[in-house]
Amino acid sequence: MLYAFGFERVGVLVGDLHFVDPAPRKGQEGAEHGVRLELRVLDRGELKGSIYSAQPIAVGQPIWRADFLELVAGRPGSFDRTHHHPKFSGWEPNTRVFDRELSADPLGWLGNKLADLDALVASAGFPPDVVGPDDAETLRGVAPEIVDATRRLLEKVRSGELGNPPRDPALAGAPVSASGASAASGSEPIFIRAGWL
């Protein structure tokens, strides 16, 4: 399941996730599941017809990510693999950052992060104009709804309703590069996405 919250120039995506890395770093072995939240750039296209036509809106480059993950074989509610990625290099996240505040109160931490969009954008290395003039205030107002959606998804992951490997084998496997070619190799992660495009 994937929720999308769109603002003027940025959006927030929240969805369930099942993740397996075939070459994990020490301490990151085993399947993980949970909820992924990303702050993304929204790319608004030109109208394709009259002033009444639907506007193309693409979910563009990632700015920031939080992964509320747990080991599938672990204790539900442990948040043992929960981390964030304060920066991306293009479309690739930098290494996982584990934070005591995040582990202690994941949803409270998320609400605080979403309340300061300008700080998230600055720490990610993006220029301030990537954000629309009203985006920070609007996101602050909607942050409780985003946190609640994250909580509901986590509950569904823990109940086994979401965050499972997809039934369709075509949806399991390596991420696809921009050219459409498989990016799989012995050292690149394999994503099994339940709610992610």
Side-chain angles (χ1 to χ4, degrees), residues 90-176:
W91 289 83
E92 290 293 328
N94 289 1
T95 58
R96 292 179 170 192
V97 174
F98 295 89
D99 184 310
R100 286 184 187 185
E101 290 178 34
L102 170 57
S103 298
D105 181 14
L107 297 178
W109 178 91
L110 175 61
N112 290 335
K113 288 292 185 183
L114 296 176
D116 195 352
L117 177 60
D118 294 333
L120 282 177
V121 169
S123 68
F126 279 77
D129 65 355
V130 75
V131 174
D134 299 322
D135 283 352
E137 182 180 344
T138 306
L139 177 55
R140 242 187 322 277
V142 178
E145 187 176 341
I146 296 171
V147 170
D148 189 55
T150 305
R151 181 192 51 75
R152 289 193 316 269
L153 286 171
L154 282 167
E155 289 171 359
K156 290 182 178 188
V157 169
R158 290 181 184 141
S159 74
E161 183 180 340
L162 296 175
N164 300 306
R167 292 183 185 157
D168 183 352
L171 297 176
V176 175

Side-chain angles (χ1 to χ4, degrees), residues 1 26 36 38 54 56 72 81 107 122 126 158 167 180 182:
M1 179 174 290
K26 185 174 177 159
R36 170 168 286 169
E38 287 182 344
V72 171
R81 300 292 178 90
L107 297 178
F126 279 77
R158 290 181 184 141
R167 292 183 185 157
S182 173

Side-chain angles (χ1 to χ4, degrees), residues 4-148:
F5 297 86
F7 308 103
E8 186 177 351
R9 295 187 194 155
V10 296
V12 173
L13 300 182
V14 189
D16 64 301
L17 177 73
H18 187 280
F19 178 86
V20 179
D21 188 337
R25 294 178 184 205
K26 185 174 177 159
Q28 295 179 10
E29 302 87 359
E32 301 170 332
H33 66 174
V35 174
R36 170 168 286 169
L37 181 144
E38 287 182 344
L39 177 65
R40 304 277 289 269
V41 174
L42 292 185
D43 298 320
R44 295 178 180 272
E46 297 294 322
L47 296 178
K48 299 294 184 186
S50 72
I51 61 169
Y52 303 108
S53 66
Q55 181 181 32
I57 301 173
V59 178
Q61 188 172 3
I63 298 171
W64 174 80
R65 175 189 289 170
D67 282 327
F68 301 93
L69 300 178
E70 298 173 348
L71 188 64
V72 171
R75 181 179 59 83
S78 68
F79 291 106
D80 57 347
R81 300 292 178 90
T82 296
H83 61 275
H84 69 114
H85 299 273
K87 289 187 176 190
F88 278 75
S89 297
W91 289 83
E92 290 293 328
N94 289 1
T95 58
R96 292 179 170 192
V97 174
F98 295 89
D99 184 310
R100 286 184 187 185
E101 290 178 34
L102 170 57
S103 298
D105 181 14
L107 297 178
W109 178 91
L110 175 61
N112 290 335
K113 288 292 185 183
L114 296 176
D116 195 352
L117 177 60
D118 294 333
L120 282 177
V121 169
S123 68
F126 279 77
D129 65 355
V130 75
V131 174
D134 299 322
D135 283 352
E137 182 180 344
T138 306
L139 177 55
R140 242 187 322 277
V142 178
E145 187 176 341
I146 296 171
V147 170
D148 189 55

